[in-house]
Amino acid sequence: MLALRDNLVQCFSALRAHKMRTSLTMLGLTMGVATLITVMTIVQGANVFVEKKIANLGTNVFQIARTPFAVTDFTIVLKALKYKKSSWMTCAPSRKGAGTAKRWGNG
């Protein structure tokens, strides 16, 4: 069994002998960690954004839309857009093409 000192000597001699491989490995590890941190930061920021948008709605908001909120099949959206608007959907649209928003109660 080799001593710890012998292992370290062999390790550093291999790193000195293969400088290009060592530098590319270090670069790859650095880029991987930086990418992971960036993606996690973006996801966390998106979560905060969605939480704020939902919190702004309040508890007395009811939204009606012609199309489903989450779409997995585009044919469902096309089918929903074919139907004529009903008379009960007369609220002002919250944003173009997104449906309507109506506050109930004292708001």
Side-chain angles (χ1 to χ4, degrees):
M1 191 162 146
L2 294 174
L4 179 63
R5 184 173 186 272
D6 293 335
N7 285 333
L8 289 176
V9 168
Q10 186 178 7
C11 170
F12 286 118
S13 66
L15 288 176
R16 276 193 303 269
H18 304 285
K19 291 179 184 170
M20 180 63 82
R21 182 170 61 182
T22 303
S23 61
L24 289 176
T25 302
M26 295 281 287
L27 179 66
L29 287 172
T30 304
M31 288 176 61
V33 170
T35 302
L36 184 66
I37 290 171
T38 303
V39 168
M40 294 299 291
T41 303
I42 289 171
V43 168
Q44 188 176 16
N47 285 340
V48 169
F49 176 76
V50 169
E51 285 177 9
K52 285 182 181 179
K53 288 294 183 180
I54 290 174
N56 285 340
L57 290 175
T59 57
N60 59 349
V61 174
F62 184 73
Q63 282 196 297
I64 302 171
R66 291 175 66 189
T67 58
F69 178 72
V71 178
T72 57
D73 187 11
F74 193 67
T75 58
I76 296 172
V77 175
L78 293 176
K79 188 184 286 187
L81 292 175
K82 283 183 184 177
Y83 293 121
K84 186 178 176 183
K85 283 187 179 180
S86 299
S87 60
W88 53 269
M89 293 180 69
T90 57
C91 306
S94 57
R95 63 184 188 277
K96 186 175 180 179
T100 58
K102 173 99 175 126
R103 288 198 181 269
W104 298 96
N106 297 333

